[in-house]
Amino acid sequence: MVAGPRVLVIDDEAAIRFGILDFLASHGYEVDEADSCSAAEESFRRNRPDVVVLDYRLPDGDALTLLPRLRAADSTVPIIILTAHGSIDLAVSAVKEGAEQFLTKPVELASLQVIIQRLL
């Protein structure tokens, strides 16, 4: 059996990570998870995902500090940022740093899957 695309889900809220992970896994994706910037960097380097779903606020930093570090490791991996605290300025900053999409929580899982498919 061929493994599906690998998605790294980074969120400090276990329930959100589980919901996204469970949904994507049930649709054939290989899913890794991380709950902090440091865990995310380690997983990114170890398992090289095809797509990253990144929460904006993490206990040891935020998406705007992590994004350039992930881009430096592999600039070809698309990154989707999720936030419960969205603003136009934040979205513009995230896109300037290299995010492909900026979505507000709660995210519609079917929409997230469509975006992931489009990015792949």
Side-chain angles (χ1 to χ4, degrees), residues 4-115:
R6 182 176 292 275
V7 180
L8 173 57
V9 177
I10 307 162
D11 199 305
D12 59 328
E13 294 181 55
I16 291 174
R17 269 197 330 272
F18 177 77
I20 295 172
L21 187 147
D22 189 54
F23 178 83
L24 293 176
S26 73
H27 286 82
Y29 293 88
E30 295 288 321
V31 186
D32 296 313
E33 59 181 307
D35 61 0
S36 66
C37 291
S38 57
E41 276 190 271
E42 182 183 320
S43 180
F44 188 92
R45 292 178 194 285
R46 186 178 61 243
N47 298 318
R48 199 58 57 146
D50 297 302
V51 175
V52 172
V53 177
L54 170 60
D55 183 30
Y56 179 74
R57 286 199 180 146
L58 296 166
D60 58 347
D62 64 37
L64 294 183
T65 57
L66 182 57
L67 199 53
R69 300 199 305 253
L70 298 181
R71 285 264 166 255
D74 186 340
S75 63
T76 66
V77 176
I79 298 174
I80 300 165
I81 294 181
L82 303 180
T83 185
H85 315 282
S87 73
I88 298 296
D89 290 343
L90 188 56
V92 169
S93 296
V95 171
K96 281 183 179 174
E97 286 293 333
E100 269 69 31
Q101 289 285 332
F102 188 89
L103 306 173
T104 54
K105 291 179 179 177
V107 67
E108 172 64 46
L109 293 175
S111 299
L112 180 62
Q113 182 190 10
V114 168
I115 291 167

